Amino acid sequence: MTCAHPGAPLTSAAVTELAVVCDFDGTATLHDIGDEISKRFAGADWLLLQKRLFLEGKLTTRAIIQSIYTPVRATEAEVVAFAVEKAELRPGFAELVEAARDRGAPFFLASGGLRQYIDAVLAHHLRPDLRAHVQIRANEAEFAPGGMRVSYPGDAASRAAGCEVCGSCKRVSVAEARQSGAGYVIGVGDGFADRCLAQFADRTFAREDSYLHRYCRDHGYACTPFTDLYGAAEAVRSFVA
């Protein structure tokens, strides 16, 4: 397996449209905002314990999505304000959205994170005209004095697509992109939950040295490693059907 270099030309046959499916935490942003929320409001030791249990196979993907937030008793306003302050969009992300918008390519921001903080971060850090082009597909937080609970709006569609792992499978967003008319889908990600982008998108950008990058290398999936998203933006701009 070889990873293509950023900016490598895209080729395709009989393609009518293009779409982008992009992860949020650690991909669109420099840091994993979900993890940062857990560290801030549940404690760094709690987050590390959940990650260790996940690596040991004692927590499923769906379970860890919930467990890192279970002790969080902060209000929605407190969590959102922290996320907005902590978040930094990855260089090139705005340009990637802009490139997709300018050529009429749907842009799906598909995340196992929480819609509330994703929405707030984009509203604060992305120009309104670009934010309007982003379609968020994410989980939902329910804030309560007894702790935060997570619900999975994409769970039924994920199971119907053959994935019972995380409740928010990104292959669903790839399928939605194709249903919108896209004959070629670019996937952008970094983590465990982004494996389906490598399997179901037509081209994958994987953050350099991330889990997804190693997964592609170890399983023979072609990918383009990135540290910023300018190369992905150029790939969208230069795409030829």
Side-chain angles (χ1 to χ4, degrees):
M1 195 283 302
T2 59
C3 281
H5 292 292
L10 293 170
T11 59
S12 59
V15 174
T16 57
E17 294 291 345
L18 172 70
V20 178
V21 178
C22 182
D23 174 50
F24 183 73
D25 289 290
T27 299
T29 59
L30 291 177
H31 309 291
D32 188 310
I33 305 304
D35 283 0
E36 295 297 328
I37 290 170
S38 180
K39 285 193 290 186
R40 168 63 179 83
F41 296 103
D45 288 344
W46 176 261
L47 176 63
L48 288 174
L49 173 61
Q50 306 317 301
K51 288 182 175 289
R52 179 171 61 79
L53 293 174
F54 176 74
L55 290 174
E56 292 173 352
K58 297 175 182 177
L59 286 177
T60 63
T61 306
R62 186 195 306 266
I64 192 172
I65 289 172
Q66 171 59 67
S67 68
I68 66 170
Y69 299 120
T70 297
V72 175
R73 289 171 172 77
T75 65
E76 180 174 350
E78 290 171 326
V79 169
V80 164
F82 172 79
V84 167
E85 179 183 1
K86 191 71 177 178
E88 295 179 74
L89 294 183
R90 184 172 297 277
F93 175 72
E95 288 77 5
L96 175 58
V97 177
E98 185 172 39
R101 184 205 60 182
D102 289 351
R103 69 172 302 145
F107 192 100
F108 295 91
L109 194 61
S111 174
L114 306 176
R115 178 195 56 78
Q116 286 91 334
Y117 72 72
I118 296 171
D119 219 351
V121 167
L122 293 183
H124 187 83
H125 292 283
L126 200 62
R127 284 187 351 231
D129 60 312
L130 299 182
R131 169 62 189 92
H133 188 66
V134 177
Q135 302 180 55
I136 298 175
R137 302 291 183 265
N139 297 319
E140 294 278 341
E142 300 172 4
F143 295 85
M148 188 189 296
R149 295 294 178 267
V150 178
S151 60
Y152 308 88
D155 185 52
S158 296
R159 292 178 184 276
C163 178
E164 299 184 359
V165 176
C166 63
S168 51
C169 184
K170 297 180 186 184
R171 76 181 71 178
V172 175
S173 292
V174 173
E176 189 176 356
R178 297 199 191 283
Q179 290 163 7
S180 73
Y184 199 101
V185 178
I186 294 176
V188 189
D190 74 322
F192 181 85
D194 297 318
R195 294 170 302 157
C196 284
L197 293 180
Q199 296 175 41
F200 293 94
D202 297 290
R203 183 179 183 182
T204 303
F205 284 80
R207 180 169 58 79
E208 190 170 353
D209 295 327
S210 67
Y211 178 94
L212 181 62
H213 188 192
R214 295 190 297 273
Y215 176 83
C216 288
R217 180 191 62 212
D218 294 345
H219 291 82
Y221 291 107
C223 70
T224 301
F226 69 86
T227 55
D228 61 53
L229 292 170
Y230 295 114
E234 179 57 30
V236 171
R237 282 191 294 265
S238 62
F239 175 77
V240 178

